[in-house]
Amino acid sequence: MLDRLVLKLLRPVIDRTARGLAQTGLTADQATLAGFGFGALAAALVATGNSEIAVVPLLVNRALDGLDGALARLSSSTDRGAFLDIGLDFIFYAAIPLAFGYCDPGANALAAATLLAAFLGTGSSFLAFAVIAEKRGLKSTAYPSKSFYYLGGLTEGTETVLCFLAMCIWPAHFASIAYVYAALCAITTVTRLIAGWQSFGGDARS
């Protein structure tokens, strides 16, 4: 829901930073892999009970996730890079709730499992829509710079990051935050399924 607004606000800073990093020789794939490394570090810190410290690598992960696309646009976007980006993003999104469940299974395991199940719904509906949209030659007007059809919803990347930050800052309230966000993800899944059902009715047209 907030991704388009945040992207519009941050785009000048992202593009300027990307141009500077490109001059150092940093590639989009390297930024993607480095970002995932910071995300893995954040998950490890959460799993070992250091969620407050995990805020820093978590934010670095998200910053690099924004920069890798900008770096790709400065050279040439590749299908391999897009695949790596989205694949590692989904692993990161799953790793944080899993880490909280590992850290305190008694208090967090069920809430973590519920949130992961909700993420499966948002992720599968998102990717399924993108696959059929690509088959039909549809392009997203809301996110034209994306290499695939980016279907928005109530819970997008910005909301998920804010959720993770709240969990890290107030780890004792992880379960409550997870259940609330899982409910919001369920709404997103339903709206995406409805959007797909309505968009893909009838015969495909290229």
Side-chain angles (χ1 to χ4, degrees):
M1 185 172 67
L2 296 176
D3 278 8
R4 182 161 46 166
L5 174 61
V6 171
L7 183 61
K8 181 179 180 180
L9 292 173
L10 295 181
R11 174 58 63 80
V13 176
I14 291 173
D15 288 346
R16 186 164 57 249
T17 305
R19 287 193 294 270
L21 290 174
Q23 292 177 356
T24 70
L26 184 71
T27 67
D29 288 349
Q30 289 171 345
T32 298
L33 291 170
F36 180 72
F38 279 102
L41 174 59
L45 288 169
V46 169
T48 54
N50 298 289
S51 62
E52 293 88 351
I53 303 174
V55 167
V56 175
L58 192 155
L59 290 174
V60 175
N61 166 273
R62 292 298 83 199
L64 287 170
D65 183 62
L67 286 168
D68 62 3
L71 285 166
R73 289 190 294 274
L74 289 174
S75 53
S76 60
S77 299
T78 65
D79 291 340
R80 183 177 67 177
F83 171 78
L84 185 68
D85 183 23
I86 190 66
L88 294 183
D89 270 354
F90 273 74
I91 294 173
F92 165 74
Y93 287 138
I96 299 299
L98 180 63
F100 275 102
Y102 178 87
C103 180
D104 190 349
N108 296 340
L110 182 58
T114 302
L115 184 55
L116 287 171
F119 280 175
L120 182 61
T122 57
S124 60
S125 57
F126 175 87
L127 293 175
F129 192 100
V131 168
I132 304 302
E134 177 68 21
K135 178 181 177 182
R136 293 191 171 207
L138 302 179
K139 300 297 180 183
S140 173
T141 56
Y143 301 95
S145 63
K146 297 290 185 180
S147 56
F148 53 90
Y149 197 107
Y150 192 97
L151 181 64
L154 184 61
T155 54
E156 298 177 335
T158 301
E159 290 81 9
T160 303
V161 172
L162 292 175
C163 173
F164 286 173
L165 290 174
M167 291 171 173
C168 289
I169 295 170
W170 299 291
H173 299 288
F174 167 81
S176 298
I177 297 170
Y179 284 130
V180 170
Y181 200 67
L184 295 176
C185 286
I187 295 172
T188 298
T189 300
V190 171
T191 59
R192 285 176 175 171
L193 291 173
I194 292 173
W197 180 264
Q198 293 175 340
S199 299
F200 302 140
D203 295 334
R205 293 288 185 270
S206 59

